[in-house]
C-alpha cells in the first residue's frame, strides 16, 4: 500500500489565485514536470515578440503625453487663478484642469465635470486645513494640509474660492 505525503488535490488556476492571470491574454504557467514540443516553444516566442512591440509604442505615446502635460502645466499658470497648498506629506492643486490631491506617494485627479462639490474645513484648534472633494456618485476624498500658521487659513480660503468661482461655475453653465 502506497501513502502520499501532502495534499492530493491539484492547485487551482485562474484570477482568484493569480492576480496577473488574464484569460486570453496571458499563457498559463507551465509546470516544470510538463514538457512542451518545439512548435509550442516557437509559438510562445512569436507571442512574446508581438507583445514587446506594443509596449514600445505605449512608451512613445507616454513620452508624448508627458510632454503635453508639461506644456499644459506652463499654460495653467498663465490662464487663470490657481490654488496650491502643500506640507511635508500632502499637496492640493486646483486650476483650470481640475483638482489634484496627493498624499505621500498616492495621487488622484478630478476634472471639473467629475466634481459635485468642494468643501473646506478649518479646525477650531490646530493648524490642519481640510479640503474635501465630493463626486456626484456620493464619494468624497478628504485631504488635510498642515498650515505654517493659523493666519494662512483665510488666505487659502480666498484663493480656493477664486479658483472655484472661475472654473467650477463655468463648467456647470456649459
Amino acid at each position: 500500500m502506497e501513502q502520499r505525503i501532502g495534499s492530493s488535490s491539484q492547485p487551482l488556476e485562474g484570477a482568484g489565485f493569480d492576480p496577473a492571470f488574464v484569460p486570453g491574454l496571458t499563457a498559463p504557467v507551465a509546470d516544470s514536470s510538463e514538457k512542451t514540443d518545439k512548435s509550442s516553444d516557437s509559438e510562445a516566442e512569436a507571442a512574446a515578440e508581438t507583445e514587446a512591440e506594443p509596449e514600445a509604442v505605449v512608451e512613445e505615446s507616454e513620452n508624448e503625453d508627458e510632454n503635453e502635460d508639461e506644456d499644459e502645466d506652463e499654460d495653467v499658470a498663465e490662464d487663470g487663478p490657481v490654488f496650491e497648498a502643500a506640507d511635508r506629506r500632502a499637496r492640493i492643486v486646483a486650476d483650470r484642469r481640475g483638482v489634484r490631491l496627493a498624499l505621500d506617494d498616492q495621487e488622484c485627479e478630478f476634472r471639473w465635470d467629475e466634481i459635485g462639490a468642494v468643501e473646506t474645513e478649518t479646525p477650531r484648534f490646530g493648524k490642519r486645513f481640510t479640503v474635501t472633494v465630493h463626486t456626484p456618485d456620493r464619494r468624497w476624498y478628504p485631504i488635510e494640509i498642515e498650515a505654517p500658521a493659523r493666519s494662512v487659513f483665510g488666505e487659502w480660503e480666498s484663493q480656493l474660492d477664486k479658483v472655484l468661482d472661475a472654473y467650477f461655475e463655468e463648467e456647470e453653465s456649459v
Side-chain angles (χ1 to χ4, degrees):
M1 177 184 232
E2 291 183 24
Q3 292 184 351
R4 292 187 176 205
I5 299 174
S7 175
S8 63
S9 65
Q10 296 294 326
L12 297 175
E13 295 179 5
F17 296 95
D18 182 12
F21 177 77
V22 178
L25 293 179
T26 58
V29 178
D31 289 341
S32 60
S33 62
E34 295 178 11
K35 300 294 180 185
T36 57
D37 60 329
K38 292 182 180 181
S39 63
S40 64
D41 287 341
S42 63
E43 291 173 4
E45 289 174 8
E49 289 176 7
T50 58
E51 288 177 4
E53 292 172 6
E55 289 176 4
V57 173
V58 170
E59 289 176 5
E60 290 173 6
S61 65
E62 287 176 359
N63 290 337
E64 291 173 4
D65 291 340
E66 289 174 5
N67 292 338
E68 290 174 7
D69 289 342
E70 290 174 3
D71 294 339
E72 287 180 16
D73 289 341
E74 292 172 2
D75 295 340
V76 168
E78 299 171 6
D79 285 343
V82 175
F83 169 71
E84 188 170 347
D87 65 3
R88 58 186 166 76
R89 294 185 61 203
R91 177 185 179 97
I92 180 171
V93 177
D95 55 18
R96 71 175 178 90
R97 292 187 336 185
V99 177
R100 291 180 299 285
L101 307 175
L103 180 64
D104 295 331
D105 62 342
Q106 303 295 316
E107 294 182 13
C108 60
E109 182 172 349
F110 302 96
R111 295 184 319 267
W112 289 112
D113 61 339
E114 297 176 322
I115 298 174
V118 177
E119 176 185 14
T120 61
E121 182 181 346
T122 56
R124 186 170 178 187
F125 303 106
K127 297 188 295 186
R128 292 203 174 265
F129 182 72
T130 305
V131 177
T132 306
V133 177
H134 295 272
T135 60
D137 59 348
R138 296 185 181 185
R139 294 183 185 265
W140 60 94
Y141 302 88
I143 190 164
E144 290 184 339
I145 299 174
E146 190 170 341
R150 289 186 52 83
S151 60
V152 177
F153 290 156
E155 181 182 325
W156 282 356
E157 287 271 355
S158 65
Q159 288 177 357
L160 185 59
D161 284 343
K162 287 179 187 176
V163 173
L164 293 175
D165 290 343
Y167 302 116
F168 192 60
E169 298 297 326
E170 283 180 11
E171 297 297 323
E172 289 181 356
S173 63
V174 172

